[in-house]
Structure formats: C-alpha cells, structure tokens
Amino acid sequence: MRYYALIKRRDELARLRQVMAVLLRHGFGYVVYALRLGEHLPFVSRALKRFEEDRPLTLGERLRLTFEELGPTFVKFGQLLCNRADIIPPDVVRELTRLQDRVPPFPPEQVRRTILEELRRPPEEIFGEFDPSPLAAASVAQVHRATLRSGERVVVKVQRPGVQRQMAVDLNILQMLAHGLERYLPDSRAFAPVELVRFFRKTVGRELDFVVEARSTARFGRNFAGDPDLCVPAVHWPLTTARVLVMEDIEGVRVDDEKGLEAMGVDRRGVAMKGARAFLRQVFEFRFFHADPHPGNFSVLPDGRIALVDFGMVGRLDGELLEELAHVVLAISEFDAARAARHLLRLRVADEDIDEMSFRSELAYMIESYAGRPLKDIDLGQVLNETIFVATRFQITLPPDFVLLGKALVTMEAVGRRLDPDFDMVAVARGYARRYALSRFGPAAVKRRFEEMASDMVYLLRELPGDLQLIFRKVTTGRLKIEFQHRGLDTFIMEMDRSSNRIAFGLVVAALIVGSSVVTLSDRGPHILGVPLLGLAGFVLTALLGLRLIFGIMRSGKL
C-alpha cells in the first residue's frame, strides 16, 4: 500500500492540496516531488509548481513561514520542534521559537453555544457577569473574564469550535508526510519524523482535553499550597469539562511589563529568584514541572508573590532520570565533560553501540568552550540543549521529558535575565542539584534503594526457574524462534519492487506491440484508413503505456 493511502476523505485531500501549495511556495518543492505526491495529485502538483519561490532564506526561516501560513496545528508542531533540541539543529530551533499563534477571536455567539453544550446552561444563568470580549485568543481556545453568582471573579477558557476536527485532518496529513519522509528520504530518519508526529498527536490530544489541564493545575496547587512565593489559581470543578475550563482569576502584572512592575514597586531581582526557586522545586522536589514558563504565564501580585498559569504542557521525571539529571547539571557547572558524558550515557533510552571515545571528545570540546566564563554569564539551558544535540549526533536517544526540561530551562533563564541582568541560574540550579544528589545517599534513601533491590532480586529468583523451564521446553520441542531485525534494507526493497514493476510494465508493452503487429499483418476485421481496427487500437494503447513508462522514469530522475 502506498503511504499516501492514509489520506482518504475529501476534506483531507483538499487540505493536502493547500499544504502542497505552501510547501512549494516556501522552497520545499523538492520534498513534494521526493515524496511522490505528484503521482497522487499530478495535475495539482504541476499547476502549483509555478508558485515556488527561490528566496535567500535559511531552512529555519522557511520552516517558520511555512508553519505560520499553514495555521494552528502546524504552528503547534513547530513549537514542539523547539522542545526537541536533541534532533533539531540549534539554528532551526532558534528560528522556530519566533513562531506566533496569530488567530482572530471567535464571536460571542459561538462562545455561548459551546458553554451551553458543555454545561447545559447558558452563560447568563451561570455567571453574574461575563465579558464577551476575550482576554486572550489562541488557536485552541480563548479566555474570558467573568464573575460567578457568588461574586467571585473567574476566567473562563472556551475551546475554539471545530478545532478538534481541523486538527484531526492536519494530524493525518502530518502522519502521511512523516511516513513519506522516512520512506523516500532515508536521511530524515535521524529526526524520527513518524515518532515526532506520534508524540505530537498525544500532546495535542491532552491539550484539547481541558480536564487534563485542570488536573495538572490542581496538582500544582497542592504542591505549592502554603508557599509564600508562588500562587496557583484554583479550579472550579463543577464548571469544568473537556471544552470549558473555569479557574480563579488572579490579577497581576506580567513579568515582562517593565512599567507595570516599576509602578508596583516590586524587587525585580527578588522576583527572578522566586521564579527560579519555584521552577527548581518543581523539578527536584515534585518531579512535575511547568514545561512552558514563558513571560505570559508569569505575573507578579501586589504582595510580591508570583502567579503561574496555563498548565497545558507539563513534564514528569522519575527518580532515576532525576538523579542522572542532577549529576549532569553538576558536571556542566563544573566543566567536567567526562562526568557529564558518563551520566548522559546512563540516560539513553536504547543501549546501542556508539563511538564513546568520539562522543566524549566532542562533548568535552563543547563544554570546555565555556570554561573561564563567570557562571552568571553562562546559559545553563542553552548548554544543556547543546549537550543534548551532541548526544543525538552520536545516535544517543534521550528521554523526551529530559529534552523538554532543557527547553523549559532556556525559557526560565530568559525570564530571569529579563528581570535581573545579573541573574545566575547556574548557581541556583547547582545548589538544588547538589542537595538532591546528596539526598540519594542519605540513610533513608539507601534503605529504600536496598529494599527495592531486594524485592527485585526475590522476584527474579522466583520467576527464573519457570522461565528457564519454558525455554528448555521450546528447545526440546523445536518451537524456539529467533527473530532477526534488518536495518537499512527498506530503500533497497522499495527500489527492487519499483524495478520489477517497470520490467513487468515493459513486458506488457512489448507483448502489445507484438500482438498488434500480428493482428495488423493478418489484415482481418474492421478497418480504419486501411488498417485493422484491433491492430490500430493496440498500437495506440502501446504508445500511451510506453509514454507513461518513459515519463515515470524521467520524473524519478533515474534513466
């Protein structure tokens, strides 16, 4: 089955034409033709070719323009790529961080209809006041201020109508393109496009369900309950569904509003430290962190506390991952490349053979380039992302949440530096990492680890006899199977299949030529212009099939 058979519905086909047009317009025509999309939409493909432009833009710039023109789903996919510094080059990541989610707000009638469908009551019965003008509008939802009947001020997040269906269509197209990339452009497998789209589909699915975001918000609220520095809005559960989210309205000044902060008279350096400590507590204490801490999600309250909102994207860390992360942070802050390499190798998902000596040498060169600088002048998140990128170049696959944390650190550092030019994230993070690393050697931690090891050993000893007996039984009965996994043969098999099809096609054409010649020489049957009709029809069909074969070979670029 051809990979583009994944596109079946008429709306998906129409959207695919739009995607092709935008790709061609921004200099990705070679991708369109490499993926054989011209075979699927030959006339559209040739008609669109005239729109392709050759502009002196970088790959990152062309990708950004492409995603912005294709709309919300592709913008979010580009924002996901920003979080994958393990597989995307740093220059492309920097350009994609400029992606803007520009969408107009949807009208109040649609807001009212969505609330009525989800809560079974119109807004005027639920809220004492409801501001029809949105406070903010994005591709997935928009936010309105309102007041409950009790007088409590809240914000209402309402999902954009039709967004689920549109994203479903775009996700199918992205899935199709990812399969095409891996099939026809083998070099793209280093970026794991199919796995990327699969991860993106899961992420978007969570973001489209506001109940998931509400649970994350409530979990952050419990983690920071009573914290004097951080405030998390409370969720109104009776008014929260998959498409409507109602939360406490916390009014403050955004951390990037310099005039507002100055008028409030807050200590900007203190705010930066509070934000950094809150973020590092999320990582090292709760192992559950806000993965998108940009300035729009931070605000400062009059009492000096920081309010954190929008928990649609979060990350989770298990104990082993966090332990290795702590050692990597310490190694980077101390410019110890050998130690960083050792712990990164322990983090990898797949235990594959790599050139460890070259990896250690490359990592040492990168880390030591920062040696000699004051710690406050080093961007920890940037160094961590560069470390991840070096690891990826050596086919070292790291856990997605580890990569997500690198991007969050970059954003958090940028917020801190904006508030305080002398903000030193490295020093703060090193303190938390050292305390966490040392805590793993405390009496309670050692006792807990020993108990876990003992439990695993008991389980192994209990199951081992049965497993060995099963293996020997299969060996003695001849039912033991050994599976081999080939690598790098997909392209060879595909080319062999194409060549055999062309040979068979050519044999059919040759047979038609011979048969038509025999019929013509027999001079029987009805005639047209003195030539037997069947023989003439055979020659016409032969010419058409022959031209089709020649055009197919020329289009593939392989004569």
Side-chain angles (χ1 to χ4, degrees), residues 338-400:
R339 184 180 175 190
R342 183 169 64 253
H343 291 285
L344 279 172
L345 290 173
R346 293 178 184 173
L347 276 171
R348 57 181 167 174
V349 175
D351 191 15
E352 298 183 358
D353 293 333
I354 64 167
D355 186 353
E356 291 193 18
M357 292 298 296
S358 297
F359 167 63
R360 294 175 190 272
S361 175
E362 187 76 15
L363 188 62
Y365 178 79
M366 189 278 296
I367 292 179
E368 289 171 1
S369 66
Y370 290 91
R373 302 186 193 179
L375 289 180
K376 66 182 183 63
D377 294 336
I378 296 176
D379 292 334
L380 177 60
Q382 185 64 34
V383 178
L384 190 61
N385 279 338
E386 290 184 17
T387 302
I388 293 170
F389 187 67
V390 171
T392 306
R393 286 173 51 193
F394 287 86
Q395 286 74 52
I396 299 174
T397 305
L398 300 174

Side-chain angles (χ1 to χ4, degrees), residues 135-147:
L135 181 64
S139 56
V140 172
Q142 65 187 33
V143 178
H144 295 259
R145 276 202 166 101
T147 304

Side-chain angles (χ1 to χ4, degrees), residues 123-131 144-156 239 246 249:
E124 53 269 21
E125 291 185 11
I126 302 173
F127 306 102
E129 297 179 5
F130 189 90
D131 188 353
H144 295 259
R145 276 202 166 101
T147 304
L148 297 178
R149 290 289 183 179
S150 61
E152 183 180 354
R153 297 180 61 83
V154 295
V155 291
V156 185
L239 302 178
V246 180
D249 184 10

Side-chain angles (χ1 to χ4, degrees), residues 274-292:
K274 288 177 183 178
R277 288 169 181 159
F279 179 77
L280 292 170
R281 280 193 68 195
Q282 296 169 33
V283 173
F284 289 103
E285 184 174 338
F286 305 119
R287 297 186 296 187
F288 184 70
F289 62 93
H290 195 300
D292 191 23

